[in-house]
Amino acid sequence: MKKLANNPIKLTGHLCSVIRNSMPAYSCRKSKHLYKQHQLAVIWYLMKYLKTNYRRVIELLDLMHRIKQLIGLDQLPHFTIVNKFFLRINLSVIYMVLVKSVYLFPDEPGIVAIDATGYSDSRASRHYLWRTRIKCAIVVTISFTVNRRANKFL
């Protein structure tokens, strides 16, 4: 059985093809136009896939030249740029990427499943939030489409 997710290069290629057409190139007309939104989104998805933090994913991308080429990066963004991208991205864009990723498996309708997990953008620990009785309800759901027959996911 061949798994797509075991190879970050293939995963990055599929992410780039889906995300590039799912969102506008830049979030603001007056931005510096250093990084396109789909590049930052791919970095963010890779960060979640590799189960690492913002700093570490940038350090790893510095070592992964093939993935940098696939994303189209000449220079790597600072880790705070990826964090700020995540904080400003609209959830409807993430769901649009999910919907478009289903069309990667056109030959096998009905065999695609969706799995999801939650992610909070808060840096505070749960204990601190509980102790100070602060309500923090900003949770983003990360969803994946899974082709059960081919054992591929995106």
Side-chain angles (χ1 to χ4, degrees), residues 3 32 35 37 42 55 63 69 84 88 93 95 98 100 117 133 135-136 143 146-147 151-153:
K3 292 186 179 181
K32 292 182 181 180
Y35 308 104
Q37 285 196 102
V42 169
R55 282 182 202 247
L63 301 173
Q69 288 175 349
K84 290 176 185 177
R88 79 169 176 264
V93 174
Y95 291 124
L98 175 67
K100 287 191 175 187
T117 185
R133 301 196 192 324
K135 301 288 184 191
C136 182
S143 302
V146 180
N147 184 333
N151 291 328
K152 298 178 185 176
F153 83 91

Side-chain angles (χ1 to χ4, degrees), residues 2-3 16 30 47 52 54-55 59 62 68 75 84 90 93 134-135 141 146:
K2 183 178 173 185
K3 292 186 179 181
C16 287
K30 298 179 181 181
M47 180 189 76
T52 185
Y54 292 103
R55 282 182 202 247
E59 291 172 358
D62 194 25
K68 276 184 2 185
Q75 67 181 50
K84 290 176 185 177
N90 192 348
V93 174
I134 295 175
K135 301 288 184 191
T141 303
V146 180

